[in-house]
Amino acid sequence: MSKADNTLMPAALALDRDSSKPLYLQIYEELCDFLSNSDLKPGDRFPAELELVDKYDVARITVRRAIAEMVQEGRLVRKAGKGTFVAAPKIERQLVNVSSFSKRMEALGLQASSQVLVTKVVVATPRLSRELGVEQDSAVLALVRLRFSNQTPVAIENSYVSLLTCPDLDQVDFNTSSLYQVLDERYGLYPVKSEKTLELTTANAWEAKYLNVPQGSPLFLVRAQVHGEEKPIEYVKILLRGDRFRFRI
């Protein structure tokens, strides 16, 4: 049986129709238990709404709401015209972490890769001046990379590094070189600690295109000032797909 034809079904325990707990929530909880305890893998087909309607003997809107909750949480993913499928597990990330993206993915057993979207020299805005500890209007390298986990785009990383601190950094090909490795080997700089903030935002058209999500999809926005032993070495803004990450505080 192919994954797309997987017809495993939950046991469908009797619903308590007199309970104050809504039917959709009872079904949601049972489907979550079923998903956790079944042999279904990411990419496997999840039981269709009509199959679940027959199993639970409820209105389709009730099942649809339960499924929608699971999709919103990133447990399932809908594919237009094909059905509902088990989503890939979320990537767990610590909020306080100064290791490189590649090392974080390797630690989780995931294959990491990157694509450079933008490399340009900009002048330090008041914020960049403050975050990097340099004079306003001084030269800064802006490096924007699309990050992949197992060939799936999961993040857009915007890095800013002072060219006063790291002359000629703009000459490096970051399609083949790691930023942190170059900072270490060429300039003797390496991350020691970082100060981060976390907020929620939504994908604009450009971000949605590269992250392969609908415009308006939820994203985590992490801003970080990364410190070396003596001073800041990088300011970074990272947009992470809300359906692919969760944070350990």
Side-chain angles (χ1 to χ4, degrees):
M1 180 179 296
S2 68
K3 287 187 174 182
D5 295 327
N6 199 314
T7 55
L8 290 173
M9 288 287 287
L13 300 177
L15 300 176
D16 185 351
R17 299 177 187 272
D18 296 322
S19 172
S20 59
K21 181 181 291 186
L23 291 178
Y24 87 88
L25 190 55
Q26 294 182 49
I27 294 172
Y28 158 81
E29 291 175 348
E30 186 172 319
L31 292 179
C32 287
D33 288 342
F34 162 68
L35 182 59
S36 297
N37 298 318
S38 73
D39 293 328
L40 289 172
K41 303 292 189 301
D44 283 354
R45 178 184 176 277
F46 199 72
E49 287 182 3
L50 290 178
E51 295 175 314
L52 295 171
V53 166
D54 291 340
K55 176 70 72 172
Y56 289 105
D57 190 22
V58 294
R60 186 170 185 176
I61 192 172
T62 302
V63 168
R64 182 171 294 168
R65 188 170 179 185
I67 294 294
E69 291 284 330
M70 298 179 74
V71 170
Q72 185 175 6
E73 291 181 352
R75 300 173 188 265
L76 301 175
V77 60
R78 294 187 190 274
K79 297 183 180 180
K82 295 182 179 180
T84 306
F85 298 81
V86 179
K90 291 192 175 184
I91 301 166
E92 191 165 279
R93 176 190 171 117
Q94 291 183 329
L95 183 56
V96 180
N97 192 314
V98 294
S99 63
S100 71
F101 177 85
S102 297
K103 289 183 178 179
R104 288 195 298 269
M105 294 300 102
E106 289 174 5
L108 295 170
L110 301 172
Q111 180 183 3
S113 57
S114 299
Q115 175 189 345
V116 174
L117 301 180
V118 178
T119 305
K120 64 180 179 179
V121 177
V122 300
V123 297
T125 61
R127 176 153 198 165
L128 288 178
S129 172
R130 182 175 66 254
E131 297 286 358
L132 293 173
V134 297
E135 292 292 330
Q136 191 170 328
D137 295 329
S138 62
V140 171
L141 173 67
L143 172 64
V144 183
R145 288 167 292 178
L146 181 62
R147 300 295 206 171
F148 296 83
S149 171
N150 289 351
Q151 288 77 54
T152 299
V154 295
I156 296 175
E157 191 167 308
N158 301 261
S159 295
Y160 301 90
V161 180
S162 169
L163 290 175
L164 294 177
T165 304
C166 303
D168 299 323
L169 186 64
D170 56 316
Q171 303 302 312
V172 176
D173 181 2
F174 288 103
N175 282 300
T176 58
S177 300
S178 160
L179 174 60
Y180 280 9
Q181 185 175 357
V182 171
L183 292 179
D184 184 7
E185 294 179 353
R186 292 195 182 188
Y187 305 98
L189 301 172
Y190 53 90
V192 173
K193 64 177 182 177
S194 63
E195 297 175 2
K196 289 186 172 75
T197 62
L198 174 66
E199 57 191 281
L200 293 176
T201 186
T202 55
N204 62 30
W206 186 84
E207 294 157 353
K209 171 186 173 182
Y210 283 103
L211 290 173
N212 194 28
V213 296
Q215 185 175 348
S217 294
L219 304 176
F220 292 114
L221 170 59
V222 177
R223 302 177 189 265
Q225 183 188 55
V226 182
H227 292 260
E229 289 188 321
E230 298 179 354
K231 59 182 180 180
I233 61 174
E234 178 194 22
Y235 172 63
V236 60
K237 294 193 305 181
I238 309 172
L239 290 164
L240 303 154
R241 282 177 49 170
D243 63 336
R244 297 294 290 114
F245 284 85
R246 65 183 176 190
F247 284 83
R248 182 186 296 272
I249 305 298

